[in-house]
Amino acid sequence: MRKIEIITRPYKLEDIKKALTDAGVKGMTVSEVKGFGRQRGHKEIYRGAEYQVDFVPKIKIELVIDAALVPAVLKAVEGAARTGEVGDGKIFITPVEDVVRIRTGETGKDAI
């Protein structure tokens, strides 16, 4: 099993959700987050004064999937999220040792 964390632009959420569903993903968790990478935020002007916005709004999508699904999920997310511009985001993949479904007590792949 693998945990996939996707951090990307908020307006790409619906495209990514559809691509993940089409790739066979049955569930996900979505959070609104703020941060910066290479783009280092941006400058805005408010009432004539310029100020630096360090943290850019992003979304974080988390899912735990069977390891066999990882290539299909990566391809789906990259296709749905890529704009070719700085700030498209990152995908993190980490191994998951075990999962327990609290309601039934199921563990491992059965709990996903």
Side-chain angles (χ1 to χ4, degrees):
M1 293 178 293
R2 300 288 184 267
K3 179 178 182 181
I4 309 286
E5 292 179 61
I6 305 152
I7 299 175
T8 192
R9 303 171 189 275
Y11 70 86
K12 287 294 196 172
L13 177 59
E14 288 303 316
D15 295 339
I16 294 170
K17 185 174 84 171
K18 180 172 181 349
L20 288 172
T21 303
D22 292 348
V25 173
K26 294 183 175 36
M28 63 190 79
T29 301
V30 178
S31 307
E32 293 180 8
V33 296
K34 292 182 181 184
F36 66 87
R38 289 187 180 167
Q39 67 193 102
R40 292 279 183 203
H42 61 278
K43 293 185 191 303
E44 288 188 4
I45 298 176
Y46 179 72
R47 295 190 177 187
E50 187 176 289
Y51 65 98
Q52 178 71 25
V53 177
D54 290 328
F55 295 106
V56 179
K58 298 286 185 177
I59 57 162
K60 181 178 182 181
I61 304 166
E62 298 174 275
L63 45 134
V64 176
I65 58 173
D66 186 78
L69 273 179
V70 170
V73 165
L74 289 179
K75 184 176 180 182
V77 172
E78 288 174 357
R82 181 174 290 139
T83 67
E85 304 282 325
V86 173
D88 277 350
K90 299 274 192 297
I91 302 171
F92 301 96
I93 306 161
T94 54
V96 173
E97 189 173 318
D98 203 2
V99 177
V100 178
R101 185 181 310 233
I102 296 172
R103 179 178 52 88
T104 62
E106 293 172 295
T107 60
K109 292 179 186 178
D110 295 334
I112 297 179

